[in-house]
Amino acid sequence: MKDAIANLFRVLKPGGLALFRDYAEDDLAQQRLAKKQSKKIGHNFMARGDGTRAYYFPLEEAAHLWAAGGFLVEDNKLALKDEGNTAFKHGERRFVQGRYRKPRR
């Protein structure tokens, strides 16, 4: 993640805006995967059934990563979505969502 943020910082013009949205800690998918201990790789780091991996960000960690990469944190919040459209899938989806700006020098 640090490399991706550093690359964005390098290519964005001064004053440029980076938008970020990813899974947040305690997301419904993380809760489901946590029940299967074999799926846990590390703290907030899980393997899905298809072999892909997912990291579930604590809100503060996302802000810290972007700030450490030289960005100004304009907005860093939790976006919540209730997923209750079927009897099988019911719960709260949680996402870290933020706006981070490269300083104008």
Side-chain angles (χ1 to χ4, degrees), residues 28-29 31-32 81-93:
L28 177 62
Q31 293 170 14
R32 288 180 183 155
K81 180 182 179 213
D82 183 40
E83 188 174 282
N85 57 349
T86 67
F88 177 70
K89 292 183 177 182
H90 183 73
E92 187 175 69
R93 299 304 313 265

Side-chain angles (χ1 to χ4, degrees), residues 8 12-13 15-19 71-72 74 98-102:
L8 275 170
L12 273 178
K13 293 179 182 177
L17 186 65
L19 304 175
F71 284 87
L72 303 174
E74 288 189 355
R99 295 166 32 108
Y100 313 97
R101 189 167 305 275
K102 182 175 180 177

Side-chain angles (χ1 to χ4, degrees), residues 33 39 46-54:
L33 287 171
K39 300 291 183 182
M46 308 283 187
R48 294 189 189 111
D50 63 0
T52 59
R53 298 174 180 189

Side-chain angles (χ1 to χ4, degrees), residues 13-27:
K13 293 179 182 177
L17 186 65
L19 304 175
F20 176 76
R21 181 175 168 122
D22 207 343
Y23 299 116
E25 190 173 43
D26 294 327
D27 179 58

